[in-house]
Amino acid sequence: MDSNYFTTLRSAFLELFNFQTNQVVPLIGSILVAFLLGLFIYVIYRLTFSGVVYSKTFNMSLVMLTMVSTMVILFMSNNLKLSLGMVGALSIVRFRTAIKDPIDTVFMFWAIGEGIALGAGFVLAAVVGVLLIGALMLALASSKKKASLPYLLILHYEERASKSVKAMIAQIPYARVKSKTVQREGIELAVELRVKSSETGFVDKFLRVDGVYDATLIAHQGDLIS
């Protein structure tokens, strides 16, 4: 075949994907910076996580969100036609995964925001922003660990132990009875309370009460109203 045919085909291919040589290095550099910033967000999320079940998969998705949003903004800023196509394509995307903790949504928005800043060329602002927000998040998490945390106390006991159990619950700060189930086998009591993580030894004292079957302390996902 004529060499001009291959030249024309190659030119058409490059034009179709808008893959010009002078764009390769900036693209790779932006993706690598986005990976580093996403990795920083990954570490901050791991250090500040205070939920019940930690999801490593969700945390890894924050790194991916940073890189993908950077790439999308880079493409949209370099080609008007492609940007319109991206808007149309993204408008039909639906995320079905339920976000249980509102702070997870904030971390997703943080990762996307960093990607947008990088893709738009605001590299210094993105780096300063991620460092500042990360430092503030660590400070908030540190103060929260020193404070009292919400827990749920589940007790099973006989009727004859009710008086002693009520007296012990009255000594616990911020204790509130949430539910009480009376059965022939005994009583089940659910109590919301707020204590420091280093002060949970009081649970063992319930087992010393005659008539108490078991006592379970569970980290509460929500916050208690003072």
Side-chain angles (χ1 to χ4, degrees):
M1 289 186 177
D2 190 359
S3 60
N4 292 332
Y5 173 79
F6 292 102
T7 303
T8 304
L9 183 62
R10 178 175 177 274
S11 300
F13 181 81
L14 294 177
E15 183 178 356
L16 176 64
F17 290 94
N18 196 24
F19 195 77
Q20 300 165 350
T21 306
N22 58 354
Q23 293 178 342
V24 175
V25 175
L27 176 61
I28 295 176
S30 298
I31 295 298
L32 290 178
V33 175
F35 173 76
L36 294 176
L37 296 188
L39 192 62
F40 182 82
I41 297 176
Y42 175 96
V43 174
I44 296 298
Y45 180 83
R46 184 68 184 90
L47 294 177
T48 60
F49 179 77
S50 59
V52 178
V53 180
Y54 168 74
S55 174
K56 185 177 180 179
T57 303
F58 172 79
N59 202 359
M60 291 178 62
S61 69
L62 297 177
V63 183
M64 290 293 298
L65 271 176
T66 309
M67 294 189 293
V68 172
S69 57
T70 298
M71 184 177 64
V72 170
I73 297 300
L74 279 172
F75 289 161
M76 293 177 65
S77 61
N78 291 331
N79 192 307
L80 179 60
K81 295 180 181 179
L82 185 60
S83 65
L84 296 177
M86 283 286 187
V87 172
L90 294 176
S91 64
I92 65 175
V93 176
R94 297 291 184 270
F95 295 98
R96 300 298 182 183
T97 303
I99 303 299
K100 298 180 180 180
D101 196 336
I103 195 65
D104 291 346
T105 305
V106 176
F107 270 92
M108 292 179 65
F109 186 72
W110 183 17
I112 295 174
E114 291 296 330
I116 292 175
L118 286 175
F122 300 101
V123 180
L124 181 59
V127 173
V128 173
V130 76
L131 293 177
L132 181 59
I133 295 175
L136 293 175
M137 288 296 297
L138 288 176
L140 289 175
S142 178
S143 62
K144 188 175 182 180
K145 289 180 180 180
K146 296 178 181 179
S148 300
L149 302 176
Y151 289 93
L152 192 64
L153 177 64
I154 309 296
L155 297 170
H156 294 92
Y157 56 92
E158 297 178 358
E159 177 64 30
R160 57 190 175 90
S162 296
K163 186 175 181 180
S164 299
V165 169
K166 291 180 180 179
M168 295 179 66
I169 292 176
Q171 299 176 2
I172 303 175
Y174 305 104
R176 296 189 305 169
V177 177
K178 296 298 294 183
S179 67
K180 181 179 181 180
T181 304
V182 180
Q183 301 175 344
R184 294 183 182 277
E185 296 81 7
I187 300 174
E188 179 184 89
L189 192 66
V191 183
E192 276 187 345
L193 48 91
R194 183 185 292 274
V195 295
K196 295 181 179 180
S197 57
S198 59
E199 298 176 352
T200 57
F202 66 91
V203 181
D204 301 336
K205 298 180 181 179
F206 281 98
L207 295 180
R208 302 173 188 172
V209 178
D210 187 25
V212 176
Y213 300 133
D214 57 67
T216 306
L217 189 65
I218 305 173
H220 192 45
Q221 182 68 26
D223 293 324
L224 307 182
I225 301 176
S226 301

